[in-house]
Amino acid sequence: MEIKIDPRIIKSISKFNLPTKLGFGKTLAPVMISCSYKEEKWGTLNLVPYEPLTLSPTAKVFHYGQEIFEGMKAYRVNGQGPYLFRPEENQKRFNLSAERMAMPTLPEELFIKSVKLLTEYCAPFIPDKSGDSLYLRPFMFATEEHLGIAPSNEFKFMVVASPSTAYFSSDALKVLIERKYVRAVDGGTGQAKTGGNYAGGLNSAIRAKNLGFSQTLWLDSKKREFVEEMSGMNIFVVMKGKLVTPSLENTILDGVTRRCLIRLAEDMGVCFEERALGIKELIEAIQTGECSEAFACGTAVIVTPIEGFGEDDGTFYKIRSKGESIGSRLREKLLALQEGREKDVYGWRHKVSLSYGEKASEGGVEI
Ligand SMILES: Cc1ncc(COP(=O)(O)O)c(C=O)c1O
């Protein structure tokens, strides 16, 4: 694998100041990764300044949506790290998305090297408060200039980074039960992280916001009977003291956070079930008080409590919590592992080296 460090990045990095107010995904790091795919092979991995792209108006991504992405974080809390968290899981999911969208897969080494290199060079800009991080966004899109409906032969893989605070500023989410539209269908693209899945959910996001909700809860496409997930996160509920999450089928995104929480819950001795979860069953359990907790989880949101679920006619099912929250125990455990505050018995944390200074001063050499 050939790697090229653009000498202009030294100036970009030295000019960059981390703003005092960050938010999520608003501030972009001054460097990024770019790598092109042509004639059935991946080319040089480039670390370049963050700058606009030049693309043909007929690049296939603009017309047929051949695009995939990932979301992951690097942590550097209290001078620890920087740590990446289970990056190989994102790499595997990236390739699953690529296969589903008729795109080339990326060698594991290329993906991992890209996120490590970018983290290494962005290390001085990783915020150090617990819950803050460097959000990393690997993505790939079709660049071939051609209007025919056929898979592209040319692609670009890129990674950008954003020093970020937590995704939600509010405490608990009010969630709209979406009874009209669906996010994914059996045999569709729901399991892939591809832009169209998210674009298709945006009208519901607007409707939810106008009705005073912060998120959409998606139901199954056939009968609107079963709970699936939210637009960018998986869901867990606690019913009769048992932690429950919908089983994946092929319509729900296989979240890395979801998988971590299942493992942590098992190790914490929490009674757990992965199964079909009826929306009727959930509403009844909230009304009788049997459902004592619900929370959303994902890389961006970590673990975020849900206050309740509502309909577009104004009905709201508020969850009556009882005592200690399983979600907050899981959130604390997960964050402690991600941020290096707890011994990692799972082998999930990857330390990233900090030698960016020496490499930057070499400017442009192949390493
Ligand atoms: C639709 C959807 N579900 C769930 C998740 C949570 O996945 P992860 O925990 O890997 O971030 C995400 C975020 O990537 C998502 O976009």
Side-chain angles (χ1 to χ4, degrees):
M1 178 179 24
E2 190 189 25
I3 300 172
K4 252 195 178 129
I5 314 288
D6 185 327
R8 293 178 303 149
I9 66 157
I10 299 170
K11 200 165 161 204
S12 311
I13 290 175
S14 62
K15 272 196 336 212
F16 183 80
N17 289 313
L18 196 64
T20 42
K21 275 202 169 155
L22 287 173
F24 182 87
K26 286 187 190 145
T27 301
L28 275 312
V31 287
M32 63 183 184
I33 297 284
S34 176
C35 183
S36 297
Y37 180 89
K38 267 187 192 152
E39 290 164 6
E40 299 186 8
K41 23 178 218 298
W42 288 104
T44 304
L45 195 170
N46 295 291
L47 183 73
V48 295
Y50 179 87
E51 58 194 0
L53 304 171
T54 304
L55 284 173
S56 160
T58 58
K60 287 195 185 229
V61 63
F62 296 132
H63 305 271
Y64 309 121
Q66 236 187 333
E67 184 271 354
I68 58 167
F69 66 98
E70 266 304 320
M72 50 206 291
K73 284 176 171 174
Y75 306 84
R76 205 181 176 189
V77 174
N78 296 332
Q80 301 260 16
Y83 295 118
L84 286 169
F85 190 72
R86 308 190 74 179
E88 65 289 348
E89 297 301 320
N90 297 92
Q91 184 269 329
K92 282 187 211 141
R93 191 169 64 188
F94 195 72
N95 279 350
L96 283 177
S97 300
E99 276 167 16
R100 179 65 186 85
M101 302 308 291
M103 298 167 85
T105 54
L106 217 72
E108 180 177 356
E109 196 197 358
L110 181 55
F111 184 97
I112 300 291
K113 184 71 194 173
S114 297
V115 289
K116 280 197 168 163
L117 196 64
L118 191 59
T119 302
E120 209 178 295
Y121 279 78
C122 291
F125 323 125
I126 307 181
D128 64 358
K129 222 171 88 243
S130 180
D132 294 355
S133 59
L134 181 74
Y135 183 75
L136 296 158
R137 169 54 61 88
F139 60 111
M140 192 211 306
F141 52 94
T143 53
E144 188 186 342
E145 299 178 42
H146 196 273
L147 285 176
I149 305 178
S152 178
N153 287 312
E154 292 171 13
F155 295 88
K156 201 174 267 293
F157 167 68
M158 303 189 69
V159 191
V160 294
S162 171
S164 292
T165 52
Y167 191 82
F168 288 119
S169 47
S170 66
D171 279 349
L173 307 175
K174 284 188 170 156
V175 180
L176 172 69
I177 304 168
E178 178 57 78
R179 305 237 182 218
K180 184 176 178 196
Y181 299 113
V182 293
R183 192 193 87 93
V185 298
D186 184 21
T189 58
Q191 261 188 335
K193 262 184 97 69
T194 182
N197 289 344
Y198 298 82
L202 293 178
N203 59 358
S204 180
I206 295 170
R207 221 157 62 80
K209 191 162 177 242
N210 291 341
L211 290 164
F213 295 97
S214 42
Q215 277 292 313
T216 293
L217 178 70
W218 298 107
L219 305 179
D220 74 283
S221 66
K222 283 187 192 136
K223 295 195 175 161
R224 316 280 195 279
E225 270 177 16
F226 296 101
V227 171
E228 297 216 319
E229 61 177 322
M230 323 250 269
S231 298
M233 51 205 102
N234 296 113
I235 183 171
F236 284 80
V237 298
V238 179
M239 299 210 293
K240 295 188 197 160
K242 194 181 261 185
L243 185 65
V244 180
T245 195
S247 36
L248 291 175
E249 309 305 336
N250 65 21
T251 50
I252 300 178
L253 194 87
D254 183 359
V256 179
T257 318
R258 177 185 179 279
R259 263 192 271 148
C260 291
L261 297 188
I262 292 173
R263 179 69 201 272
L264 294 177
E266 279 167 0
D267 290 357
M268 282 159 66
V270 173
C271 199
F272 166 73
E273 213 173 33
E274 187 178 7
R275 63 168 169 87
L277 174 65
I279 186 64
K280 204 158 161 259
E281 175 195 359
L282 176 61
I283 291 171
E284 280 169 13
I286 294 173
Q287 287 169 331
T288 59
E290 278 177 358
C291 172
S292 53
E293 187 177 350
F295 55 87
C297 74
T299 300
V301 302
I302 317 168
V303 174
T304 299
I306 294 172
E307 186 184 325
F309 302 89
E311 312 279 1
D312 51 14
D313 65 3
T315 316
F316 190 67
Y317 315 107
K318 189 172 162 55
I319 299 168
R320 282 171 280 157
S321 55
K322 288 187 203 138
E324 205 199 22
S325 147
I326 294 178
S328 54
R329 273 170 64 205
L330 286 169
R331 179 189 161 95
E332 179 42 37
K333 183 87 185 165
L334 179 67
L335 259 186
L337 284 166
Q338 289 171 327
E339 294 176 348
R341 290 184 278 113
E342 188 162 310
K343 187 168 181 287
D344 177 16
V345 293
Y346 302 100
W348 288 345
R349 221 161 41 213
H350 291 233
K351 190 151 172 45
V352 176
S353 86
L354 269 174
S355 57
Y356 88 96
E358 298 105 75
K359 285 182 186 159
S361 65
E362 285 171 24
V365 291
E366 285 166 20
I367 48 175

